[in-house]
Amino acid sequence: MKPANLLRWESMLAVVLVFEFILFSALSPYFLSVDTLSDATFNFTERAIVALPLAMLIIAGEIDISVAAIIALASVAMGLASANGLDTAGIATVGLGTGFLAGCINGALVTIGRVPSIVATIGTMTLFRGAAYAVLGDRVLKDYPETFAVFGQGYLLGPISIELALFAVFAISFGVFLHRTRWGRTIFAIGANPVASRFAGVAVNRYRFALFALTGLFSGLAAVLLTSRLGSTRPSIAQGWELEIISMVILGGVSVWGGKGSIPGVVLAAVVFGLVTFGLGLMNIPGIVMSIFTGTLLILVVAVPALVNRSRENRR
Amino acid sequence: MSSHRRDLAFAALTLALFIAVTIAFPGFAAPRNLAGLLDDTAILILLALGQMLVILVRGIDLSIAANLALCGMIAAVLDRTWPGMGVGPVLALTLASGALLGAFNGLLVWKLRLPPIVVTLGTMSIYRGAIYLLSKGAWVNENEMSRGFLAFPRSEFLGLTLLSWLALAVAAVFVFGLRRSRLARDLYAAGGNPDAANYSGIDAGRMQFIAYTICGALAGLCGYLWVARFAVAYTDIALGFELSVIAACLIGGVAIAGGVGSAVGVVLGCLFIGIIRSSLPLVGISAFWQMFINGVVILVAVLLSARQREVKRTILEVRT
Amino acid sequence: MTLTGIRKSFGGVRALESANLDLPRGAVTALIGENGAGKSTLVKILSGVYQPDAGEIRIDGNAVRIGDPQASRAMGIGVVHQECLAFDNLSVAENLFVNCQPARRGLVNLSAMRAQATAVLRDLDADFDADMPAGRLSIAQKHVMQIARALAHESRVLIFDEPTASLSQRECAELFRIVHKLRDAGCALLFISHKFEEIFELADRYAVFRDGVSVSAGKVNEVTGDELIRLMVGRPVEQLFPKIETTPGPERLRVDRLSRAGEFEDISFALRSGEILGIYGLVGAGRTELAQVLFGINEADSGKVTMDGDIALVPEDRQTQGSILPFSVAANIALPNLAALAPHGWCRSRDEAQLARQWIDRLAIKAQGPAQPVQNLSGGNQQKVVIAKWLARRPRLLILDEPTKGIDVGAKAAVHAVTSEFARDGGGVLMISSDLPEILGMSDRVLVMRRGRLRGEFTREQATSEKLLRAASHA
């Protein structure tokens, strides 16, 4: 919770962001156009919408690696809902509801079942993704009503997509909630020391459950946006996204040990991340190679501070 | 419940499952079918034994299947480039490259004290990506592999494949070694109470490093075995297999909190999953359900062990 | 064994400035000092966990370097740690021989290990055997296991780091018997303790540390308790138990036949305003468990609790339960008061800092300011922060669980003063303590618990050490 350090981390991210802008506009003459930039936002909005609640969950000392599997499950549920003739609103509700329920299952496993969140969500990741495969096999669902496309393909105002607008609204609300309210303070306290928080009268498990449910709900929202944008559902949808979403959160300066982090950091990290993905795409680099980049980034972001600490300790 | 009694109980459960399947499908217990079952489960056994060491010292290795796939591709590319080099060098090289990849995980966890889940989630995608770089996205097919390369795991001896014998041999080494070797006892100590281990002169971090390295070596070995057995190598082989491995460990009684687990339990866990997997087609359930079942297995296992961990309340004297 | 001029610092902080210690054979040396005097650092240096920056360690006249825990063990140094360092997942025999199992070519000789362990345990008259999983042992048994561990390695120098902090009277007696036996066998023993009765009963010699410097050493029979306190603190201590006489008012708390399976049974009592009700008992008598049910951490299985007003609990372990160490004093004090500080949810750091400043003044907390992390405070000041965060809520009922465990004499007196004032102002206090002088000095009434049940109630006038002890142990 050292504000000075966080500030430094965030300004570092901002510098990286500026550097990216310069690099990509040098590489591609079309980069600095409103249309291109607007397109680029689709590279992070869906993931970043999940990163926001996940950041709070990680700050509270837990983790959820089932987020991508929840997206797949929710997408399959929406596909089935659509096949059964539900309208756009109904389909979206099914997606959100599935995500919320999946999040509640995670929350119940951790709070009532007392299973550590890493294994609990490895389990549910397998379960949810497995359920998507079990239901769909190698089929593809793509009979979505035309109006359903609005979530992932619609624009609110000029170049500002509905996805981007939603992300902006949620980023601000989450930032205010986490950093300005007593519930946010409590989340930091739980992450730093859950036992002492409990002895300070905090209903720790209620917070944990709510955060898991929230992360599930927002994974459901991401599923609505992604499915709407792609117009189709496969059981392998959002494969590997847990890595990218967690990377965004960690890159944003959230401590993997809990108790530290900020929403502005996560937002900056999401944009940095999205632009890199977009830039690599511009250079025709395939997705699997990008995963090398993501993996390296994730490890570097946690390793570099640890290295710095180590050398500082050695100097003493 | 001591781990010995748990193993016995779980052995009974596995046997019951086996008997139930055999009653429904008498052909299931045919020696030929059993040999096939063991052959199908062998790689899972090898990987789960490695993963078990990592979980024993409070880690987890999500990159195990990606390690396997990368080493498998290395083996395939080696064999394609020098078809005459024989199986020996391939085995040595896959073991070494697997150990190296595992050691990289271990080094980050040991020296920088990074959380295992984050490290191996990262290396999982790095290793997968590296396969693509190595193969340029292409497949290595059966017709590009030498005969000796393909034959090794499949050659039979006393009715079992060499692959099965290998798994049995490694399992035997683990059963004996975990009980009797000093290294293994140090692993148990470091996983049970890392602070106390440090006070006893055992570097708990170094133990994690060793566990990851051994686990990596086994994954590397399995890379070759997998590629030779299925006669194909490509970027996505064994995708998601780490989840089956973790499921086998957890259902086999390896405690996620560290320090508890037995090789017998893990082998039983693998057989349990193997029996389910091979009886799915018999009852007419598609193979797409496998992952879902793994999920159920993991959750049941962790919920049960969480129940067991409940604090004992023993202040009141027992009334007689 | 002799140590001269040992120095050790961490970052900029000097833990040991110039420490000298003499450990002759066949004698028990008591090491005393306030928290932060450098005792634990010294233990860690002797067990090979830390390396000293300067100074010399000699064993039998030869200068040695203790490079790591194994070297320490090889030199015959054995440590019985304060927190039980046991491997719950391993058997007792394996615990005794961790990292030095009898082995040939890397293979452990299980039967030799068991035989050696059994022999050592028999020497100690231990009431558990070598095959038992260590996880099933009681805390006292684990201490015996650590002693056995030291003996199994033929240690000549044995260090006891506050071993009695969580032992019952009977278990202490057993421990003392073993200590004397070892002394008579010619071992050099170092005994670290906060309890003076123990020191006078057990030790032959003493050494006093203050702020990392050895200030005095000598024979125990040539010194008095008061002198030792003066040496430890460097100043005379004001009244230790500033009890304020009050007249009990209306009832604040009534507990009626409260039970929780496996923890306590059939507990009934009442607490009135202005009253300090002591609960005495041995560690593990179910007192902490009772407190946690009253506070609402756990639920009772049966029985009824009625209380008038807000309840607060200062838990037993201030570092893991009482405070969030990396957080600031202000954040810690604010945590249970967030609802009052931010009635509509909006937090302002200024209000938190102001609240903290107010309590820093009131309890004389030695901190640089509200922004200082609690982990940089001394144990006594940490405890004051824990108390402050609850008093700020203005509770009517205060449960203190071992409020002065492991804190220095000055802070102890301050905690007692605050407690007395709280009762004077109309609060009801439930004070759990294993410290007899504290219970006798502070309580208006004393309840005694043993194995989860109430075994006696004494008024201030009736209560004596003997009566309480008898009620708390098996009479």
Side-chain angles (χ1 to χ4, degrees):
Chain A
M1 272 252 288
K2 276 179 205 150
N5 273 350
L6 275 181
L7 211 63
R8 214 162 54 201
W9 185 261
E10 280 141 17
S11 36
M12 215 167 79
L13 282 174
V15 171
V16 171
L17 193 58
V18 171
F19 176 74
E20 272 180 11
F21 264 94
I22 296 170
L23 183 75
F24 289 138
S25 42
L27 284 174
S28 161
Y30 308 108
F31 181 72
L32 273 183
S33 77
V34 174
D35 284 348
T36 315
L37 288 176
S38 169
D39 278 355
T41 60
F42 285 103
N43 275 294
F44 64 84
T45 41
E46 289 146 7
R47 275 161 270 211
I49 276 176
V50 185
L52 294 172
L54 189 66
M56 299 212 298
L57 190 70
I58 296 181
I59 289 172
E62 304 292 325
I63 195 161
D64 184 351
I65 64 172
S66 74
V67 282
I70 296 179
I71 294 178
L73 186 66
S75 186
V76 169
M78 286 189 289
L80 295 180
S82 174
N84 282 306
L86 260 67
D87 63 354
T88 296
I91 296 170
T93 313
V94 166
L96 294 176
T98 309
F100 180 72
L101 276 179
C104 289
I105 292 177
N106 282 333
L109 281 169
V110 172
T111 55
I112 304 169
R114 297 188 204 177
V115 179
S117 57
I118 290 176
V119 270
T121 58
I122 284 179
T124 53
M125 168 171 84
T126 320
L127 190 78
F128 297 154
R129 180 73 72 179
Y133 273 105
V135 171
L136 226 50
D138 43 12
R139 286 188 297 147
V140 182
L141 296 170
K142 49 185 168 190
D143 298 323
Y144 288 102
E146 248 170 58
T147 47
F148 184 65
V150 69
F151 302 113
Q153 299 173 22
Y155 287 82
L156 185 71
L157 197 79
I160 299 171
S161 64
I162 289 181
E163 287 198 0
L164 184 63
L166 275 175
F167 171 61
V169 168
F170 286 125
I172 293 168
S173 342
F174 275 70
V176 170
F177 177 79
L178 184 63
H179 298 291
R180 286 282 173 273
T181 70
R182 65 174 149 107
W183 303 286
R185 295 290 166 100
T186 313
I187 288 172
F188 279 104
I190 292 172
N193 185 343
V195 176
S197 301
R198 185 136 178 263
F199 276 89
V202 174
V204 173
N205 273 344
R206 209 176 297 167
Y207 274 85
R208 282 186 182 143
F209 187 91
L211 287 172
F212 274 108
L214 193 71
T215 307
L217 178 66
F218 276 72
S219 302
L221 176 60
V224 172
L225 301 175
L226 177 64
T227 311
S228 155
R229 184 161 63 86
L230 300 176
S232 68
T233 294
R234 279 168 223 277
S236 64
I237 192 171
Q239 188 92 52
W241 275 28
E242 61 276 341
L243 171 78
E244 297 173 20
I245 295 168
I246 291 172
S247 299
M248 275 181 189
V249 173
I250 306 294
L251 177 64
V254 173
S255 160
V256 281
W257 308 109
K260 282 180 210 163
S262 83
I263 292 293
V266 174
V267 171
L268 275 171
V271 180
V272 166
F273 198 89
L275 278 186
V276 171
T277 324
F278 183 72
L280 293 176
L282 278 184
M283 292 182 259
N284 281 327
I285 292 171
I288 183 82
V289 178
M290 266 189 284
S291 79
I292 300 187
F293 164 78
T294 313
T296 313
L297 188 74
L298 176 65
I299 290 177
L300 276 182
V301 168
V302 287
V304 168
L307 265 174
V308 171
N309 273 344
R310 227 175 100 83
S311 66
R312 213 180 277 162
E313 267 171 37
N314 284 351
R315 238 181 293 137
R316 274 178 191 173
Chain B
M1 211 172 1
S2 74
S3 73
H4 196 65
R5 277 177 48 200
R6 191 198 183 280
D7 286 351
L8 274 178
F10 186 57
L13 180 70
T14 313
L15 197 66
L17 177 72
F18 175 72
I19 291 170
V21 178
T22 309
I23 290 172
F25 307 97
F28 192 74
R32 196 71 239 159
N33 193 50
L34 289 185
L37 175 68
L38 184 59
D39 193 51
D40 284 339
T41 319
I43 289 181
L44 183 62
I45 292 176
L46 290 169
L47 291 175
L49 288 170
Q51 181 76 263
M52 168 197 181
L53 294 183
V54 174
I55 300 179
L56 267 186
V57 288
R58 303 190 171 190
I60 193 153
D61 189 353
L62 292 179
S63 73
I64 190 167
N67 182 337
L68 177 155
L70 178 53
C71 292
M73 182 57 81
I74 291 174
V77 169
L78 277 175
D79 183 62
R80 188 176 57 187
T81 321
W82 295 286
M85 75 191 286
V87 174
V90 171
L91 282 177
L93 275 166
T94 46
L95 271 171
S97 53
L100 215 63
L101 297 177
F104 181 64
N105 286 329
L107 210 62
L108 289 169
V109 171
W110 174 26
K111 286 295 177 189
L112 298 180
R113 296 189 208 108
L114 301 182
I117 183 98
V118 175
V119 167
T120 58
L121 196 61
T123 53
M124 171 169 88
S125 64
I126 296 176
Y127 297 167
R128 281 278 173 208
I131 307 172
Y132 182 90
L133 292 186
L134 184 67
S135 65
K136 305 192 182 60
W139 291 36
V140 180
N141 289 311
E142 184 166 10
N143 52 20
E144 295 171 88
M145 297 177 187
S146 71
R147 192 184 284 168
F149 183 88
L150 289 168
F152 176 74
R154 306 174 188 201
S155 51
E156 288 194 16
F157 178 68
L158 296 177
L160 294 179
T161 59
L162 212 53
L163 174 61
S164 303
W165 282 114
L166 199 62
L168 288 176
V170 172
V173 168
F174 267 71
V175 170
F176 179 76
L178 284 186
R179 179 134 187 79
R180 291 290 301 279
S181 82
R182 288 198 50 185
L183 174 70
R185 299 326 293 173
D186 287 355
L187 285 175
Y188 275 95
N193 188 343
D195 290 334
N198 285 335
Y199 271 94
S200 315
I202 299 172
D203 185 338
R206 198 173 142 259
M207 289 298 130
Q208 288 186 310
F209 173 74
I210 291 172
Y212 273 105
T213 309
I214 297 176
C215 177
L218 282 170
L221 173 68
C222 290
Y224 159 61
L225 296 172
W226 184 292
V227 165
R229 182 165 188 267
F230 296 104
V232 66
Y234 56 96
T235 307
D236 282 345
I237 61 168
L239 192 67
F241 200 66
E242 65 275 358
L243 299 171
S244 293
V245 174
I246 292 168
C249 283
L250 296 180
I251 196 75
V254 183
I256 202 76
V260 177
S262 78
V264 174
V266 168
V267 172
L268 284 172
C270 295
L271 292 176
F272 185 82
I273 288 182
I275 294 172
I276 292 182
R277 189 164 51 187
S278 56
S279 53
L280 280 186
L282 296 178
V283 277
I285 295 176
S286 97
F288 286 112
W289 282 85
Q290 182 57 45
M291 192 176 188
F292 181 80
I293 291 168
N294 280 341
V296 173
V297 165
I298 294 179
L299 289 176
V300 168
V302 292
L303 276 171
L304 284 178
S305 72
R307 281 272 156 283
Q308 262 178 41
R309 264 205 319 278
E310 297 266 283
V311 219
K312 304 166 272 181
R313 300 193 221 149
T314 48
I315 292 167
L316 282 168
E317 51 209 337
V318 184
R319 281 198 190 149
T320 45
Chain C
M1 177 183 224
T2 54
L3 289 86
T4 33
I6 302 290
R7 203 166 69 206
K8 175 78 188 171
S9 32
F10 300 96
V13 186
R14 280 269 162 91
L16 286 174
E17 182 82 49
S18 97
N20 304 318
L21 192 62
D22 208 0
L23 297 178
R25 283 164 190 274
V28 179
T29 308
L31 176 59
I32 46 186
E34 290 190 294
N35 275 27
K39 295 168 300 181
S40 310
T41 310
L42 190 81
V43 171
K44 286 190 176 147
I45 286 174
L46 287 176
S47 49
V49 178
Y50 294 160
Q51 298 301 311
D53 298 336
E56 194 181 50
I57 303 172
R58 282 177 180 274
I59 298 180
D60 296 334
N62 307 316
V64 292
R65 198 183 143 266
I66 308 174
D68 56 51
Q70 266 152 311
S72 163
R73 189 164 56 207
M75 287 168 206
I77 300 170
V79 184
V80 177
H81 290 280
Q82 181 179 6
E83 66 269 41
C84 285
L85 292 174
F87 299 93
D88 286 352
N89 56 331
L90 304 180
S91 73
V92 169
E94 289 209 81
N95 265 278
L96 298 192
F97 292 99
V98 161
N99 204 21
C100 50
Q101 301 92 340
R104 206 171 42 198
R105 274 180 270 141
L107 289 184
V108 180
N109 185 340
L110 294 175
S111 53
M113 185 167 87
R114 180 129 98 264
Q116 289 179 29
T118 307
V120 175
L121 292 174
R122 201 185 306 121
D123 271 357
L124 290 173
D125 297 329
D127 57 351
F128 51 91
D129 68 55
D131 290 327
M132 197 137 145
R136 296 225 203 106
L137 301 182
S138 72
I139 292 178
Q141 286 173 322
K142 283 184 182 171
H143 273 114
V144 173
M145 185 173 81
Q146 287 198 60
I147 298 172
R149 183 172 151 71
L151 295 186
H153 306 308
E154 290 164 358
S155 304
R156 292 166 300 155
V157 180
L158 266 139
I159 300 161
F160 293 83
D161 189 2
E162 295 200 49
T164 60
S166 43
L167 296 193
S168 74
Q169 209 74 18
R170 178 193 281 194
E171 290 160 343
C172 282
E174 180 60 24
L175 177 72
F176 293 172
R177 190 183 59 78
I178 294 173
V179 168
H180 282 138
K181 195 169 159 184
L182 294 173
R183 177 189 61 188
D184 299 339
C187 289
L189 295 122
L190 180 66
F191 199 89
I192 298 173
S193 176
H194 270 108
K195 302 181 187 166
F196 289 117
E197 317 92 83
E198 255 170 43
I199 291 165
F200 286 103
E201 184 181 341
L202 195 65
D204 309 297
R205 305 163 47 82
Y206 73 90
V208 182
F209 276 24
R210 190 169 73 220
D211 303 329
V213 182
S214 9
V215 288
S216 169
K219 292 212 169 101
V220 165
N221 52 18
E222 291 165 1
V223 71
T224 66
D226 289 344
E227 280 170 26
L228 285 182
I229 292 183
R230 193 176 42 73
L231 286 166
M232 259 168 73
V233 187
R235 59 186 154 80
V237 191
E238 326 75 272
Q239 195 190 1
L240 206 51
F241 305 113
K243 172 98 182 107
I244 303 169
E245 293 303 326
T246 55
T247 31
E251 199 169 278
R252 285 270 184 249
L253 172 72
R254 172 162 285 280
V255 177
D256 204 22
R257 312 209 57 167
L258 201 65
S259 302
R260 180 168 150 91
E263 293 191 344
F264 52 83
E265 204 167 75
D266 202 16
I267 305 284
S268 304
F269 65 88
L271 170 64
R272 300 166 72 179
S273 92
E275 201 178 27
I276 299 179
L277 178 58
I279 301 192
Y280 180 71
L282 307 177
V283 168
R287 297 168 301 161
T288 297
E289 291 75 9
L290 172 66
Q292 291 183 0
V293 165
L294 292 178
F295 179 66
I297 297 268
N298 292 321
E299 278 175 23
D301 294 329
S302 65
K304 216 174 100 189
V305 179
T306 20
M307 56 179 94
D308 163 33
D310 213 4
I311 188 167
L313 169 67
V314 174
E316 191 177 9
D317 184 337
R318 63 180 165 271
Q319 301 216 327
T320 61
Q321 302 171 333
S323 54
I324 299 176
L325 291 176
F327 278 21
S328 67
V329 173
N332 269 285
I333 293 182
L335 189 57
N337 298 295
L338 283 174
L341 282 168
H344 306 293
W346 307 111
C347 281
R348 289 198 311 176
S349 308
R350 205 156 29 122
D351 297 343
E352 292 179 14
Q354 197 188 342
L355 180 74
R357 226 171 274 124
Q358 192 184 324
W359 282 96
I360 287 174
D361 289 347
R362 218 162 128 193
L363 298 187
I365 298 172
K366 272 186 215 128
Q368 284 156 14
Q372 191 176 19
V374 168
Q375 61 197 1
N376 298 349
L377 303 181
S378 74
N381 284 304
Q382 286 177 356
Q383 187 72 335
K384 286 184 188 173
V385 171
V386 182
I387 293 174
K389 79 175 188 184
W390 283 114
L391 291 187
R393 271 182 77 123
R394 308 190 179 286
R396 311 290 286 275
L397 274 166
L398 180 63
I399 307 178
L400 300 163
D401 193 354
E402 303 285 2
T404 60
K405 186 170 135 191
I407 68 176
D408 59 57
V409 182
K412 221 170 178 168
V415 168
H416 290 149
V418 178
T419 309
S420 286
E421 282 164 28
F422 178 81
R424 181 197 60 200
D425 299 339
V429 179
L430 202 61
M431 188 178 72
I432 296 169
S433 175
S434 309
D435 185 345
L436 264 177
E438 176 171 275
I439 283 278
L440 292 169
M442 294 295 296
S443 316
D444 294 294
R445 238 172 355 122
V446 185
L447 300 174
V448 179
M449 273 180 88
R450 183 178 82 228
R451 310 234 29 194
R453 294 201 179 82
L454 282 182
R455 307 285 177 161
E457 180 175 343
F458 305 88
T459 62
R460 186 172 174 77
E461 292 71 34
Q462 293 166 340
T464 63
S465 316
E466 293 74 40
K467 282 186 195 164
L468 293 186
L469 261 177
R470 205 172 318 126
S473 346
H474 288 270

